[in-house]
Amino acid sequence: MAASCALHSAARPLARRALSRTTATARGFEATELLAGRRQPTRGLHASFALPKKGSVASRNGLTKSIPTSATLAQHPSFAAVSIATPNQIRQSSHSPLGSSLASPRKKVTIETLRKLYQKGEPITMITAHDFPSAHVADHAGMEMVLVGDSLAMVALGMEDTSEVLMDEMLLHCRSVSRATKSAFTVGDLPMGSYEVAPEQALESAIRVIKEGRVQSVKLEGGKEMVPTIERITRAGIPVLAHVGLTPQRQNALGGFRVQGKTTASAVKVLEDALAVQEAGAFGVVLEAVPAEVASIVTQKLSIPTIGIGAGNSCSGQVLVQVDMSGNFPPGRFLPKFVKKYGDVWGESLRAIQAYKDEVKARVYPEPQHTYPMPEQELAEFADLVGHSA
């Protein structure tokens, strides 16, 4: 172990001076990143040498090897000066999900964009996202609105219902989504407990979602009782998307996830709530789990867009939970009646991961094309340097 430490301590100053970025050599090998002394000795090196002092002679398997000092390493070809990478040789991290930008970048969707779509009678498309990849694909697909919904409590965090998710958790997901949405108009849900106490509490929460979450608007649940809250938030210049009908945060008071507006009295309440939030300044309202005929009448009575989820196709727009509509869940999972499954993300992911597991077990992966080559002469010198015999 001492020998390997001596080897690394001798190499470290030279590696630091070389700094990190190297380019392909004349032999055409791919550029790599030299991690300036951060790499620790491997187990092989720990086991390969006895404990001589720096510059002394070590013996391994009966072979005598000289442990090089910084002076001898400085003469080694591996520590020669390196060239600077040109821009087209710089390799992006393989772990970045960003990829290339949109081939035909869209203009940023704003409140005014949504108003124009509504005035033209063109349906507004909206989908949920809970992290960078889900928001990135939604933006690439051309969604006009992306909602960081509190449904992420279940689909991203494995919670029982939306009442569990906390403000700090919502903010983390909002920030992740906002980094990916370059064109779509983003909306962040106010979680349960962050806005019901008083309008001032709601305003403070809304400001956090805008400033820290980096989204463009907030959504909150409730009808007439939320009028003072919506008025307070909108007076501060923060757009509010309201949510009436089935309000999941209040499922306990509603007796579960039940359709709203199925009776005359209930339908009247849905309409009155929608009119109230419109008057309070909401730029739009989500209608959830409402009979299509009721939602159609409500939509006609309003002068702001309605976004339906389980409310028929007469609404001004539609929203679905991305995990639901993309099929990113195992067989047998319950789906609400209004969900249409457009894909099978779970099935494709399962197939790919199982294939990867099988190839690793069979030592099929990685193949030569997935590895980084080393010149034979360099490999021989390295093996000789550390006392390794084939």
Side-chain angles (χ1 to χ4, degrees):
M1 183 173 71
S4 62
C5 291
L7 175 61
H8 281 270
S9 62
R12 193 171 292 118
L14 294 160
R16 284 203 183 103
R17 284 198 293 273
L19 278 174
S20 54
R21 202 154 286 167
T22 69
T23 57
T25 65
R27 297 186 182 103
F29 293 101
E30 183 178 356
T32 60
E33 193 82 1
L34 181 62
L35 297 179
R38 295 187 191 133
R39 184 173 299 172
Q40 297 300 312
T42 64
R43 290 183 181 178
L45 284 174
H46 276 285
S48 296
F49 296 98
L51 303 174
K53 294 181 180 179
K54 182 173 68 174
S56 66
V57 174
S59 178
R60 178 183 181 275
N61 296 332
L63 299 175
T64 300
K65 295 294 176 186
S66 177
I67 306 303
T69 63
S70 58
T72 57
L73 280 170
Q75 300 170 6
H76 196 277
S78 298
F79 291 91
V82 296
S83 58
I84 303 300
T86 57
N88 62 351
Q89 290 174 314
I90 296 175
R91 181 165 56 89
Q92 299 296 328
S93 168
S94 61
H95 299 292
S96 171
L98 182 59
S100 58
S101 57
L102 291 170
S104 301
R106 295 185 291 151
K107 289 184 178 179
K108 178 65 182 175
V109 177
T110 65
I111 284 283
E112 187 58 29
T113 308
L114 300 175
R115 288 197 184 108
K116 288 180 179 178
L117 290 173
Y118 170 67
Q119 290 166 358
K120 291 190 299 182
E122 181 177 337
I124 298 168
T125 57
M126 182 175 180
I127 199 167
T128 68
H130 59 264
D131 59 10
F132 189 103
S134 59
H136 194 47
V137 70
D139 206 40
H140 271 251
M143 288 289 111
E144 276 110 23
M145 300 178 71
V146 169
L147 168 66
V148 189
D150 57 4
S151 58
L152 67 83
M154 294 90 77
V155 301
L157 300 178
M159 298 174 176
E160 288 297 321
D161 55 55
T162 61
S163 66
E164 288 188 58
V165 71
L166 304 175
M167 172 61 84
D168 286 343
E169 291 167 329
M170 288 299 301
L171 291 174
L172 174 65
H173 287 274
C174 283
R175 285 193 294 272
S176 181
V177 167
S178 67
R179 295 184 189 111
T181 47
K182 305 303 180 184
S183 299
F185 185 82
T186 51
V187 185
D189 249 336
L190 293 181
M192 182 180 183
S194 69
Y195 63 96
E196 298 92 337
V197 175
E200 291 304 318
Q201 179 214 24
L203 176 58
E204 290 176 0
S205 297
I207 289 172
R208 289 194 69 192
V209 171
I210 300 299
K211 285 181 64 67
E212 299 177 41
R214 309 307 301 152
V215 295
Q216 279 101 48
S217 62
V218 298
K219 183 175 79 66
L220 55 80
E221 296 182 7
K224 290 183 287 187
E225 73 282 5
M226 284 292 114
V227 165
T229 296
I230 295 172
E231 289 176 339
R232 186 67 188 91
I233 295 173
T234 54
R235 280 204 306 271
I238 298 175
V240 174
L241 178 64
H243 185 152
V244 304
L246 171 59
T247 48
Q249 292 177 4
R250 306 179 186 196
Q251 58 159 317
N252 294 324
L254 298 174
F257 295 98
R258 297 180 178 275
V259 176
Q260 304 297 301
K262 292 184 73 173
T263 66
T264 301
S266 181
V268 168
K269 183 180 185 306
V270 172
L271 176 59
E272 289 178 345
D273 282 341
L275 289 169
V277 297
Q278 172 183 268
E279 185 64 23
F283 73 86
V285 57
V286 172
L287 300 179
E288 180 168 359
V290 173
E293 298 81 3
V294 173
S296 178
I297 293 172
V298 171
T299 299
Q300 294 175 49
K301 293 290 184 181
L302 297 181
S303 57
I304 58 174
T306 57
I307 306 296
I309 177 168
N313 68 2
S314 295
C315 294
S316 312
Q318 299 291 329
V319 61
L320 282 176
V321 174
Q322 186 175 155
V323 167
D324 292 347
M325 58 78 61
S326 64
N328 194 5
F329 52 84
R333 175 176 177 262
F334 170 78
L335 277 182
K337 181 181 180 180
F338 57 78
V339 174
K340 180 177 180 179
K341 184 180 170 184
Y342 286 85
D344 184 22
V345 173
W346 172 275
E348 181 60 20
S349 297
L350 188 66
R351 182 206 62 77
I353 294 171
Q354 287 177 336
Y356 163 67
K357 183 199 74 172
D358 293 343
E359 288 200 358
V360 170
K361 291 289 187 181
R363 293 195 181 278
V364 173
Y365 175 85
E367 298 173 75
Q369 64 264 34
H370 304 126
T371 61
Y372 301 102
M374 183 179 187
E376 290 184 7
Q377 181 181 351
E378 298 290 342
L379 177 58
E381 289 180 5
F382 168 67
D384 184 65
L385 184 69
V386 300
H388 177 78
S389 57

PDB file of all heavy atoms in Angstrom, residues 107-136:
ATOM      1  N   LYS A 107     -41.818  29.803 -29.375  1.00  0.00           N
ATOM      2  CA  LYS A 107     -41.845  30.987 -28.543  1.00  0.00           C
ATOM      3  C   LYS A 107     -42.337  30.594 -27.160  1.00  0.00           C
ATOM      4  O   LYS A 107     -43.095  29.653 -26.998  1.00  0.00           O
ATOM      5  CB  LYS A 107     -42.786  32.045 -29.148  1.00  0.00           C
ATOM      6  CG  LYS A 107     -42.271  32.705 -30.406  1.00  0.00           C
ATOM      7  CD  LYS A 107     -43.219  33.790 -30.862  1.00  0.00           C
ATOM      8  CE  LYS A 107     -42.683  34.496 -32.103  1.00  0.00           C
ATOM      9  NZ  LYS A 107     -43.614  35.558 -32.583  1.00  0.00           N
ATOM     10  N   LYS A 108     -41.874  31.331 -26.171  1.00  0.00           N
ATOM     11  CA  LYS A 108     -42.295  31.053 -24.806  1.00  0.00           C
ATOM     12  C   LYS A 108     -43.794  31.277 -24.671  1.00  0.00           C
ATOM     13  O   LYS A 108     -44.334  32.293 -25.099  1.00  0.00           O
ATOM     14  CB  LYS A 108     -41.541  31.982 -23.845  1.00  0.00           C
ATOM     15  CG  LYS A 108     -41.934  31.831 -22.383  1.00  0.00           C
ATOM     16  CD  LYS A 108     -41.569  30.469 -21.847  1.00  0.00           C
ATOM     17  CE  LYS A 108     -42.011  30.312 -20.400  1.00  0.00           C
ATOM     18  NZ  LYS A 108     -41.780  28.958 -19.883  1.00  0.00           N
ATOM     19  N   VAL A 109     -44.475  30.291 -24.091  1.00  0.00           N
ATOM     20  CA  VAL A 109     -45.912  30.409 -23.849  1.00  0.00           C
ATOM     21  C   VAL A 109     -46.128  31.291 -22.619  1.00  0.00           C
ATOM     22  O   VAL A 109     -45.521  31.074 -21.568  1.00  0.00           O
ATOM     23  CB  VAL A 109     -46.555  29.029 -23.627  1.00  0.00           C
ATOM     24  CG1 VAL A 109     -48.043  29.172 -23.305  1.00  0.00           C
ATOM     25  CG2 VAL A 109     -46.362  28.156 -24.861  1.00  0.00           C
ATOM     26  N   THR A 110     -46.984  32.273 -22.752  1.00  0.00           N
ATOM     27  CA  THR A 110     -47.274  33.205 -21.667  1.00  0.00           C
ATOM     28  C   THR A 110     -48.779  33.213 -21.394  1.00  0.00           C
ATOM     29  O   THR A 110     -49.556  32.557 -22.093  1.00  0.00           O
ATOM     30  CB  THR A 110     -46.823  34.625 -22.036  1.00  0.00           C
ATOM     31  OG1 THR A 110     -47.615  35.087 -23.151  1.00  0.00           O
ATOM     32  CG2 THR A 110     -45.342  34.659 -22.429  1.00  0.00           C
ATOM     33  N   ILE A 111     -49.153  33.985 -20.393  1.00  0.00           N
ATOM     34  CA  ILE A 111     -50.583  34.167 -20.107  1.00  0.00           C
ATOM     35  C   ILE A 111     -51.306  34.694 -21.342  1.00  0.00           C
ATOM     36  O   ILE A 111     -52.415  34.264 -21.673  1.00  0.00           O
ATOM     37  CB  ILE A 111     -50.772  35.154 -18.933  1.00  0.00           C
ATOM     38  CG1 ILE A 111     -50.446  34.473 -17.597  1.00  0.00           C
ATOM     39  CG2 ILE A 111     -52.182  35.698 -18.898  1.00  0.00           C
ATOM     40  CD1 ILE A 111     -51.515  33.547 -17.091  1.00  0.00           C
ATOM     41  N   GLU A 112     -50.671  35.602 -22.043  1.00  0.00           N
ATOM     42  CA  GLU A 112     -51.279  36.174 -23.246  1.00  0.00           C
ATOM     43  C   GLU A 112     -51.450  35.111 -24.336  1.00  0.00           C
ATOM     44  O   GLU A 112     -52.461  35.094 -25.046  1.00  0.00           O
ATOM     45  CB  GLU A 112     -50.424  37.327 -23.774  1.00  0.00           C
ATOM     46  CG  GLU A 112     -51.052  38.110 -24.924  1.00  0.00           C
ATOM     47  CD  GLU A 112     -52.406  38.713 -24.571  1.00  0.00           C
ATOM     48  OE1 GLU A 112     -52.641  39.030 -23.381  1.00  0.00           O
ATOM     49  OE2 GLU A 112     -53.247  38.855 -25.489  1.00  0.00           O
ATOM     50  N   THR A 113     -50.478  34.201 -24.460  1.00  0.00           N
ATOM     51  CA  THR A 113     -50.598  33.096 -25.408  1.00  0.00           C
ATOM     52  C   THR A 113     -51.825  32.252 -25.096  1.00  0.00           C
ATOM     53  O   THR A 113     -52.590  31.884 -25.995  1.00  0.00           O
ATOM     54  CB  THR A 113     -49.347  32.199 -25.347  1.00  0.00           C
ATOM     55  OG1 THR A 113     -48.174  32.993 -25.486  1.00  0.00           O
ATOM     56  CG2 THR A 113     -49.390  31.144 -26.460  1.00  0.00           C
ATOM     57  N   LEU A 114     -52.001  31.947 -23.822  1.00  0.00           N
ATOM     58  CA  LEU A 114     -53.137  31.127 -23.411  1.00  0.00           C
ATOM     59  C   LEU A 114     -54.456  31.843 -23.670  1.00  0.00           C
ATOM     60  O   LEU A 114     -55.442  31.216 -24.092  1.00  0.00           O
ATOM     61  CB  LEU A 114     -53.014  30.780 -21.927  1.00  0.00           C
ATOM     62  CG  LEU A 114     -51.751  29.990 -21.539  1.00  0.00           C
ATOM     63  CD1 LEU A 114     -51.685  29.805 -20.025  1.00  0.00           C
ATOM     64  CD2 LEU A 114     -51.713  28.639 -22.247  1.00  0.00           C
ATOM     65  N   ARG A 115     -54.491  33.134 -23.449  1.00  0.00           N
ATOM     66  CA  ARG A 115     -55.715  33.919 -23.723  1.00  0.00           C
ATOM     67  C   ARG A 115     -56.065  33.873 -25.206  1.00  0.00           C
ATOM     68  O   ARG A 115     -57.229  33.736 -25.579  1.00  0.00           O
ATOM     69  CB  ARG A 115     -55.525  35.366 -23.265  1.00  0.00           C
ATOM     70  CG  ARG A 115     -55.521  35.551 -21.754  1.00  0.00           C
ATOM     71  CD  ARG A 115     -55.743  36.994 -21.377  1.00  0.00           C
ATOM     72  NE  ARG A 115     -55.659  37.200 -19.941  1.00  0.00           N
ATOM     73  CZ  ARG A 115     -54.661  37.810 -19.311  1.00  0.00           C
ATOM     74  NH1 ARG A 115     -53.652  38.305 -20.017  1.00  0.00           N
ATOM     75  NH2 ARG A 115     -54.655  37.941 -18.005  1.00  0.00           N
ATOM     76  N   LYS A 116     -55.053  34.004 -26.034  1.00  0.00           N
ATOM     77  CA  LYS A 116     -55.302  33.981 -27.482  1.00  0.00           C
ATOM     78  C   LYS A 116     -55.809  32.617 -27.934  1.00  0.00           C
ATOM     79  O   LYS A 116     -56.701  32.525 -28.788  1.00  0.00           O
ATOM     80  CB  LYS A 116     -54.027  34.359 -28.228  1.00  0.00           C
ATOM     81  CG  LYS A 116     -53.665  35.840 -28.109  1.00  0.00           C
ATOM     82  CD  LYS A 116     -52.388  36.166 -28.860  1.00  0.00           C
ATOM     83  CE  LYS A 116     -52.051  37.658 -28.751  1.00  0.00           C
ATOM     84  NZ  LYS A 116     -50.780  37.977 -29.440  1.00  0.00           N
ATOM     85  N   LEU A 117     -55.244  31.563 -27.392  1.00  0.00           N
ATOM     86  CA  LEU A 117     -55.728  30.222 -27.723  1.00  0.00           C
ATOM     87  C   LEU A 117     -57.188  30.073 -27.307  1.00  0.00           C
ATOM     88  O   LEU A 117     -58.010  29.515 -28.048  1.00  0.00           O
ATOM     89  CB  LEU A 117     -54.877  29.165 -27.015  1.00  0.00           C
ATOM     90  CG  LEU A 117     -53.442  28.982 -27.518  1.00  0.00           C
ATOM     91  CD1 LEU A 117     -52.677  28.030 -26.602  1.00  0.00           C
ATOM     92  CD2 LEU A 117     -53.432  28.447 -28.948  1.00  0.00           C
ATOM     93  N   TYR A 118     -57.502  30.580 -26.134  1.00  0.00           N
ATOM     94  CA  TYR A 118     -58.878  30.507 -25.623  1.00  0.00           C
ATOM     95  C   TYR A 118     -59.836  31.301 -26.516  1.00  0.00           C
ATOM     96  O   TYR A 118     -60.929  30.832 -26.874  1.00  0.00           O
ATOM     97  CB  TYR A 118     -58.912  31.046 -24.200  1.00  0.00           C
ATOM     98  CG  TYR A 118     -60.292  31.239 -23.635  1.00  0.00           C
ATOM     99  CD1 TYR A 118     -61.127  30.158 -23.365  1.00  0.00           C
ATOM    100  CD2 TYR A 118     -60.778  32.523 -23.385  1.00  0.00           C
ATOM    101  CE1 TYR A 118     -62.396  30.341 -22.843  1.00  0.00           C
ATOM    102  CE2 TYR A 118     -62.048  32.720 -22.869  1.00  0.00           C
ATOM    103  CZ  TYR A 118     -62.862  31.624 -22.602  1.00  0.00           C
ATOM    104  OH  TYR A 118     -64.125  31.817 -22.098  1.00  0.00           O
ATOM    105  N   GLN A 119     -59.413  32.497 -26.908  1.00  0.00           N
ATOM    106  CA  GLN A 119     -60.272  33.347 -27.740  1.00  0.00           C
ATOM    107  C   GLN A 119     -60.509  32.733 -29.119  1.00  0.00           C
ATOM    108  O   GLN A 119     -61.570  32.896 -29.712  1.00  0.00           O
ATOM    109  CB  GLN A 119     -59.644  34.734 -27.870  1.00  0.00           C
ATOM    110  CG  GLN A 119     -59.687  35.532 -26.561  1.00  0.00           C
ATOM    111  CD  GLN A 119     -58.785  36.763 -26.589  1.00  0.00           C
ATOM    112  OE1 GLN A 119     -58.085  37.027 -27.578  1.00  0.00           O
ATOM    113  NE2 GLN A 119     -58.788  37.524 -25.502  1.00  0.00           N
ATOM    114  N   LYS A 120     -59.516  32.016 -29.638  1.00  0.00           N
ATOM    115  CA  LYS A 120     -59.659  31.358 -30.941  1.00  0.00           C
ATOM    116  C   LYS A 120     -60.434  30.051 -30.850  1.00  0.00           C
ATOM    117  O   LYS A 120     -60.790  29.467 -31.874  1.00  0.00           O
ATOM    118  CB  LYS A 120     -58.273  31.070 -31.544  1.00  0.00           C
ATOM    119  CG  LYS A 120     -57.491  32.289 -31.973  1.00  0.00           C
ATOM    120  CD  LYS A 120     -56.261  31.910 -32.778  1.00  0.00           C
ATOM    121  CE  LYS A 120     -55.305  31.062 -31.979  1.00  0.00           C
ATOM    122  NZ  LYS A 120     -54.070  30.737 -32.751  1.00  0.00           N
ATOM    123  N   GLY A 121     -60.663  29.589 -29.628  1.00  0.00           N
ATOM    124  CA  GLY A 121     -61.341  28.312 -29.459  1.00  0.00           C
ATOM    125  C   GLY A 121     -60.443  27.118 -29.698  1.00  0.00           C
ATOM    126  O   GLY A 121     -60.926  26.000 -29.916  1.00  0.00           O
ATOM    127  N   GLU A 122     -59.141  27.344 -29.656  1.00  0.00           N
ATOM    128  CA  GLU A 122     -58.182  26.254 -29.848  1.00  0.00           C
ATOM    129  C   GLU A 122     -57.891  25.598 -28.504  1.00  0.00           C
ATOM    130  O   GLU A 122     -57.484  26.277 -27.556  1.00  0.00           O
ATOM    131  CB  GLU A 122     -56.887  26.787 -30.457  1.00  0.00           C
ATOM    132  CG  GLU A 122     -55.853  25.709 -30.711  1.00  0.00           C
ATOM    133  CD  GLU A 122     -54.598  26.237 -31.375  1.00  0.00           C
ATOM    134  OE1 GLU A 122     -54.655  27.304 -32.035  1.00  0.00           O
ATOM    135  OE2 GLU A 122     -53.544  25.583 -31.247  1.00  0.00           O
ATOM    136  N   PRO A 123     -58.088  24.294 -28.389  1.00  0.00           N
ATOM    137  CA  PRO A 123     -57.869  23.619 -27.107  1.00  0.00           C
ATOM    138  C   PRO A 123     -56.453  23.820 -26.568  1.00  0.00           C
ATOM    139  O   PRO A 123     -55.467  23.782 -27.323  1.00  0.00           O
ATOM    140  CB  PRO A 123     -58.123  22.145 -27.429  1.00  0.00           C
ATOM    141  CG  PRO A 123     -59.055  22.180 -28.604  1.00  0.00           C
ATOM    142  CD  PRO A 123     -58.612  23.362 -29.406  1.00  0.00           C
ATOM    143  N   ILE A 124     -56.366  24.023 -25.272  1.00  0.00           N
ATOM    144  CA  ILE A 124     -55.094  24.217 -24.577  1.00  0.00           C
ATOM    145  C   ILE A 124     -54.619  22.864 -24.047  1.00  0.00           C
ATOM    146  O   ILE A 124     -55.369  22.145 -23.396  1.00  0.00           O
ATOM    147  CB  ILE A 124     -55.256  25.218 -23.414  1.00  0.00           C
ATOM    148  CG1 ILE A 124     -55.678  26.588 -23.950  1.00  0.00           C
ATOM    149  CG2 ILE A 124     -53.963  25.337 -22.607  1.00  0.00           C
ATOM    150  CD1 ILE A 124     -56.138  27.556 -22.870  1.00  0.00           C
ATOM    151  N   THR A 125     -53.386  22.520 -24.354  1.00  0.00           N
ATOM    152  CA  THR A 125     -52.839  21.233 -23.903  1.00  0.00           C
ATOM    153  C   THR A 125     -52.012  21.421 -22.637  1.00  0.00           C
ATOM    154  O   THR A 125     -51.159  22.298 -22.556  1.00  0.00           O
ATOM    155  CB  THR A 125     -51.970  20.593 -24.994  1.00  0.00           C
ATOM    156  OG1 THR A 125     -50.915  21.499 -25.353  1.00  0.00           O
ATOM    157  CG2 THR A 125     -52.799  20.278 -26.224  1.00  0.00           C
ATOM    158  N   MET A 126     -52.263  20.549 -21.670  1.00  0.00           N
ATOM    159  CA  MET A 126     -51.572  20.636 -20.389  1.00  0.00           C
ATOM    160  C   MET A 126     -51.283  19.228 -19.892  1.00  0.00           C
ATOM    161  O   MET A 126     -52.088  18.306 -20.084  1.00  0.00           O
ATOM    162  CB  MET A 126     -52.446  21.396 -19.377  1.00  0.00           C
ATOM    163  CG  MET A 126     -51.836  21.605 -18.011  1.00  0.00           C
ATOM    164  SD  MET A 126     -52.954  22.632 -17.000  1.00  0.00           S
ATOM    165  CE  MET A 126     -52.057  22.734 -15.474  1.00  0.00           C
ATOM    166  N   ILE A 127     -50.138  19.038 -19.277  1.00  0.00           N
ATOM    167  CA  ILE A 127     -49.751  17.737 -18.742  1.00  0.00           C
ATOM    168  C   ILE A 127     -48.929  17.955 -17.487  1.00  0.00           C
ATOM    169  O   ILE A 127     -48.320  19.027 -17.307  1.00  0.00           O
ATOM    170  CB  ILE A 127     -48.950  16.924 -19.787  1.00  0.00           C
ATOM    171  CG1 ILE A 127     -48.949  15.434 -19.451  1.00  0.00           C
ATOM    172  CG2 ILE A 127     -47.525  17.447 -19.923  1.00  0.00           C
ATOM    173  CD1 ILE A 127     -48.450  14.557 -20.585  1.00  0.00           C
ATOM    174  N   THR A 128     -48.904  16.962 -16.608  1.00  0.00           N
ATOM    175  CA  THR A 128     -48.093  17.088 -15.405  1.00  0.00           C
ATOM    176  C   THR A 128     -46.666  16.628 -15.683  1.00  0.00           C
ATOM    177  O   THR A 128     -46.392  15.858 -16.606  1.00  0.00           O
ATOM    178  CB  THR A 128     -48.652  16.249 -14.237  1.00  0.00           C
ATOM    179  OG1 THR A 128     -48.506  14.861 -14.545  1.00  0.00           O
ATOM    180  CG2 THR A 128     -50.110  16.587 -13.959  1.00  0.00           C
ATOM    181  N   ALA A 129     -45.754  17.112 -14.878  1.00  0.00           N
ATOM    182  CA  ALA A 129     -44.363  16.658 -14.877  1.00  0.00           C
ATOM    183  C   ALA A 129     -43.867  16.803 -13.449  1.00  0.00           C
ATOM    184  O   ALA A 129     -44.296  17.703 -12.722  1.00  0.00           O
ATOM    185  CB  ALA A 129     -43.509  17.484 -15.837  1.00  0.00           C
ATOM    186  N   HIS A 130     -42.969  15.916 -13.050  1.00  0.00           N
ATOM    187  CA  HIS A 130     -42.501  15.981 -11.672  1.00  0.00           C
ATOM    188  C   HIS A 130     -40.983  16.043 -11.556  1.00  0.00           C
ATOM    189  O   HIS A 130     -40.460  16.150 -10.450  1.00  0.00           O
ATOM    190  CB  HIS A 130     -43.022  14.772 -10.877  1.00  0.00           C
ATOM    191  CG  HIS A 130     -42.583  13.454 -11.442  1.00  0.00           C
ATOM    192  ND1 HIS A 130     -43.385  12.723 -12.298  1.00  0.00           N
ATOM    193  CD2 HIS A 130     -41.446  12.737 -11.287  1.00  0.00           C
ATOM    194  CE1 HIS A 130     -42.758  11.614 -12.646  1.00  0.00           C
ATOM    195  NE2 HIS A 130     -41.580  11.596 -12.047  1.00  0.00           N
ATOM    196  N   ASP A 131     -40.269  15.977 -12.687  1.00  0.00           N
ATOM    197  CA  ASP A 131     -38.817  16.084 -12.639  1.00  0.00           C
ATOM    198  C   ASP A 131     -38.302  16.575 -13.988  1.00  0.00           C
ATOM    199  O   ASP A 131     -39.091  16.865 -14.900  1.00  0.00           O
ATOM    200  CB  ASP A 131     -38.173  14.752 -12.252  1.00  0.00           C
ATOM    201  CG  ASP A 131     -38.519  13.611 -13.227  1.00  0.00           C
ATOM    202  OD1 ASP A 131     -39.096  13.894 -14.304  1.00  0.00           O
ATOM    203  OD2 ASP A 131     -38.215  12.443 -12.900  1.00  0.00           O
ATOM    204  N   PHE A 132     -36.983  16.665 -14.112  1.00  0.00           N
ATOM    205  CA  PHE A 132     -36.397  17.197 -15.340  1.00  0.00           C
ATOM    206  C   PHE A 132     -36.757  16.360 -16.569  1.00  0.00           C
ATOM    207  O   PHE A 132     -37.222  16.899 -17.570  1.00  0.00           O
ATOM    208  CB  PHE A 132     -34.871  17.302 -15.173  1.00  0.00           C
ATOM    209  CG  PHE A 132     -34.178  18.026 -16.288  1.00  0.00           C
ATOM    210  CD1 PHE A 132     -33.751  19.334 -16.139  1.00  0.00           C
ATOM    211  CD2 PHE A 132     -33.948  17.410 -17.507  1.00  0.00           C
ATOM    212  CE1 PHE A 132     -33.121  20.008 -17.174  1.00  0.00           C
ATOM    213  CE2 PHE A 132     -33.317  18.055 -18.549  1.00  0.00           C
ATOM    214  CZ  PHE A 132     -32.903  19.371 -18.377  1.00  0.00           C
ATOM    215  N   PRO A 133     -36.546  15.028 -16.539  1.00  0.00           N
ATOM    216  CA  PRO A 133     -36.852  14.247 -17.759  1.00  0.00           C
ATOM    217  C   PRO A 133     -38.312  14.326 -18.184  1.00  0.00           C
ATOM    218  O   PRO A 133     -38.611  14.467 -19.381  1.00  0.00           O
ATOM    219  CB  PRO A 133     -36.460  12.814 -17.365  1.00  0.00           C
ATOM    220  CG  PRO A 133     -35.463  12.980 -16.268  1.00  0.00           C
ATOM    221  CD  PRO A 133     -35.909  14.191 -15.506  1.00  0.00           C
ATOM    222  N   SER A 134     -39.248  14.238 -17.225  1.00  0.00           N
ATOM    223  CA  SER A 134     -40.666  14.273 -17.605  1.00  0.00           C
ATOM    224  C   SER A 134     -41.061  15.647 -18.135  1.00  0.00           C
ATOM    225  O   SER A 134     -41.898  15.759 -19.035  1.00  0.00           O
ATOM    226  CB  SER A 134     -41.552  13.873 -16.423  1.00  0.00           C
ATOM    227  OG  SER A 134     -41.366  14.727 -15.313  1.00  0.00           O
ATOM    228  N   ALA A 135     -40.469  16.697 -17.598  1.00  0.00           N
ATOM    229  CA  ALA A 135     -40.748  18.043 -18.105  1.00  0.00           C
ATOM    230  C   ALA A 135     -40.087  18.269 -19.461  1.00  0.00           C
ATOM    231  O   ALA A 135     -40.648  18.915 -20.352  1.00  0.00           O
ATOM    232  CB  ALA A 135     -40.256  19.087 -17.107  1.00  0.00           C
ATOM    233  N   HIS A 136     -38.904  17.700 -19.620  1.00  0.00           N
ATOM    234  CA  HIS A 136     -38.161  17.879 -20.872  1.00  0.00           C
ATOM    235  C   HIS A 136     -38.916  17.262 -22.041  1.00  0.00           C
ATOM    236  O   HIS A 136     -39.046  17.866 -23.109  1.00  0.00           O
ATOM    237  CB  HIS A 136     -36.782  17.238 -20.721  1.00  0.00           C
ATOM    238  CG  HIS A 136     -35.799  17.630 -21.778  1.00  0.00           C
ATOM    239  ND1 HIS A 136     -35.601  18.934 -22.158  1.00  0.00           N
ATOM    240  CD2 HIS A 136     -34.953  16.878 -22.540  1.00  0.00           C
ATOM    241  CE1 HIS A 136     -34.680  18.978 -23.109  1.00  0.00           C
ATOM    242  NE2 HIS A 136     -34.282  17.747 -23.363  1.00  0.00           N
TER     243      HIS A 136
END
